[in-house]
Amino acid sequence: MHPLTLAFLLALLAHLAVQIWLAKRQISHVTAHRGSVPAGFESAISAAEHAKAADYASARQRLGIVETVYDAAILLGLTLGGGIAALGQWVAGFTQPGVLAGTLLLLAVFAAVTLAGLPFGIYRTFVLEQRFGFNRTSAGTFVADQLKGWVLGLVLGGAVAAGVLWIMATAGSGWWAVGWGAWLAFSLLVTWAWPRLIAPLFNKFSPLEDPALRQRIDALLARCDFHAKAIYVMDGSRRSAHGNAYFTGLGREKRIVFFDTLLSSLGPAQIESVLAHELAHFKLRHIPQRLVAGAALSLVGFAVLGWLSRQPWFYSALGVPVASDAAALLLFVLAVPAFTWIISPLLAAWSRRHEYEADAFAAQHADGRALSEALVTLYKDNATTLTPDPLYSAFHDSHPPPPVRIQRLRAMSTPAAAAP
């Protein structure tokens, strides 16, 4: 057995063991605290709502365990099981070697992965989400969303695959630097195009019509010296009862988007505070930091891929007997996450730090108490567990645990917090 084969198997097994262990800890912890609403939440969240959140979290974790094992089996089938090699032979049966053949192989593998995961998407939407009262997606909408997603994947994914493969074939040994530049440009293009061209294919976006709320939001933007081209309401209720808000776009083309479900559950001061929190991620330069970090990580990834693609053992050790540019891309994208999952806690901790900073910004420029009230309402409406397992939360959660977050916000909102 090649050392890379052994390392890959051990890394994958370690990932499985850790994920299942953390999921079981999460289930045990939320179940143990199912019958008691945490202090400070009793007036806003009933015992029944708290129990629902615990049951929802447990159900998601049980499904996640099955999905994690299933995904690992699919990964082993594609790599060491010979799936990529078999699809490569199938493509070679009707296409000459080259960029076209490589593009078809990439699309075939990702289509297989997508189809393999489809049963979980159906179950999650029509069984799990339906059971807890969140699903509002009809069968027709689900099918339409899938078809649109597949067409977009075929067009955009095919273009990216062909472009990278062409660069690999023509740019020499330093192709990885050129490929990274092309990938970065494509990522920025998609970020620009998403709110204008892609998102409207799936949801309806209408200008915010409430004049009083719009005036309040404009005043907040002016206080924070922030420019947004437009404020939209998205028909999130068409698919789910979950609520959210977000910014999208680049430069002076940034847009503010509210889910209609969020607007229906929060008051004006709460909506303003939620927006102030989201705005903080731009004003505190969290978004640029994440973009730079993502660009740096992708540069390292392309450099490593550039080296691995020249090593014959990289292919044979992962189940592909014939080396090719397309096989190098596939093996890298599929196999590398088995080794990089270990940095998840660091990324989650960085994200939680940003959330704390954004909360503090919102408390300064809007109303910290209103933000805490809004978050509690969203926790209730989204059935977010108030008692996550500490280790699970540290490993996975991009947002702070609800009790800690609310306690910090309430402390910032007291008169003592504002005293000199």
Side-chain angles (χ1 to χ4, degrees):
M1 182 180 293
H2 192 276
L4 177 60
T5 309
L6 180 60
F8 173 62
L9 288 172
L10 290 176
L12 186 60
L13 288 173
H15 180 236
L16 273 175
V18 170
Q19 293 302 315
I20 293 173
W21 174 64
L22 288 172
K24 289 186 174 181
R25 282 185 61 97
Q26 175 79 335
I27 294 170
S28 297
H29 197 271
V30 298
T31 301
H33 294 84
R34 182 180 184 275
S36 178
V37 180
F41 291 89
E42 304 95 328
S43 62
I45 296 178
S46 68
E49 290 166 335
H50 179 65
K52 173 186 175 181
D55 294 341
Y56 182 51
S58 297
R60 291 176 63 190
Q61 291 304 316
R62 292 189 184 95
L63 177 62
I65 290 174
V66 177
E67 193 169 9
T68 298
V69 175
Y70 180 79
D71 288 344
I74 295 295
L75 175 59
L76 287 173
L78 287 171
T79 53
L80 302 182
I84 293 175
L87 286 172
Q89 291 178 347
W90 173 68
V91 170
F94 57 85
T95 311
Q96 294 297 318
V99 172
L100 177 59
T103 301
L104 292 176
L105 175 58
L106 285 164
L107 292 176
V109 170
F110 289 121
V113 171
T114 300
L115 290 172
L118 185 58
F120 285 95
I122 295 172
Y123 182 88
R124 184 177 292 106
T125 300
F126 295 105
V127 178
L128 195 151
E129 293 290 307
Q130 188 76 32
R131 184 196 313 164
F132 289 93
F134 293 122
N135 178 50
R136 296 178 181 172
T137 304
S138 67
T141 298
F142 183 86
V143 171
D145 285 347
Q146 295 298 314
L147 292 176
K148 292 174 186 176
W150 293 342
V151 170
L152 279 174
L154 178 64
V155 174
L156 296 179
V160 172
V164 173
L165 289 172
W166 180 79
I167 290 171
M168 293 178 74
T170 60
S173 60
W175 72 265
W176 58 269
V178 181
W180 173 75
W183 170 255
L184 191 60
F186 174 78
S187 299
L188 293 175
L189 177 62
V190 170
T191 301
W192 173 86
W194 179 265
R196 295 163 182 78
L197 305 176
I198 301 176
L201 295 175
F202 297 89
N203 289 98
K204 180 181 178 182
F205 295 83
S206 305
L208 179 65
E209 296 180 351
D210 186 333
L213 181 57
R214 177 60 195 255
Q215 184 178 8
R216 187 167 194 144
I217 290 173
D218 287 340
L220 171 66
L221 297 178
R223 289 199 306 273
C224 299
D225 189 26
F226 186 86
H227 176 271
K229 184 175 182 180
I231 303 173
Y232 289 98
V233 178
M234 190 188 86
D235 62 338
S237 59
R238 182 184 172 197
R239 292 174 174 80
S240 174
H242 294 297
N244 206 345
Y246 65 91
F247 281 97
T248 186
L250 294 173
R252 296 184 66 83
E253 297 296 314
K254 293 185 288 291
R255 301 182 179 192
I256 299 168
V257 178
F258 292 107
F259 284 37
D260 56 356
T261 46
L262 181 137
L263 293 181
S264 66
S265 63
L266 301 181
Q270 296 171 338
I271 293 169
E272 178 189 32
S273 67
V274 169
L275 179 58
H277 171 94
E278 297 299 329
L279 185 152
H281 289 307
F282 281 93
K283 296 300 292 184
L284 300 178
R285 307 193 67 77
H286 295 161
I287 303 301
Q289 289 174 32
R290 294 176 188 182
L291 289 174
V292 171
L297 288 174
S298 64
L299 176 60
V300 173
F302 269 95
V304 172
L305 174 58
W307 176 72
L308 287 174
S309 65
R310 300 191 299 271
Q311 314 304 319
W313 49 262
F314 175 59
Y315 304 90
S316 58
L318 294 176
V320 179
V322 180
S324 69
D325 291 339
L329 284 175
L330 285 169
L331 291 176
F332 187 80
V333 170
L334 294 173
V336 164
F339 299 95
T340 58
W341 61 269
I342 196 67
I343 68 172
S344 296
L346 298 178
L347 298 178
W350 189 34
S351 177
R352 289 194 299 272
R353 177 182 175 182
H354 284 174
E355 293 302 321
Y356 283 132
E357 292 173 353
D359 283 349
F361 180 95
Q364 179 183 358
H365 292 85
D367 185 339
R369 185 167 295 277
L371 179 57
S372 66
E373 293 170 352
L375 289 173
V376 171
T377 298
L378 292 175
Y379 293 149
K380 178 177 67 175
D381 292 348
N382 293 328
T384 301
T385 179
L386 303 178
T387 57
D389 173 69
L391 281 180
Y392 177 91
S393 182
F395 200 99
H396 284 292
D397 289 347
S398 60
H399 288 64
V404 178
R405 188 177 184 185
I406 296 303
Q407 183 179 17
R408 288 173 64 119
L409 270 171
R410 288 173 177 168
M412 285 186 284
S413 304
T414 60

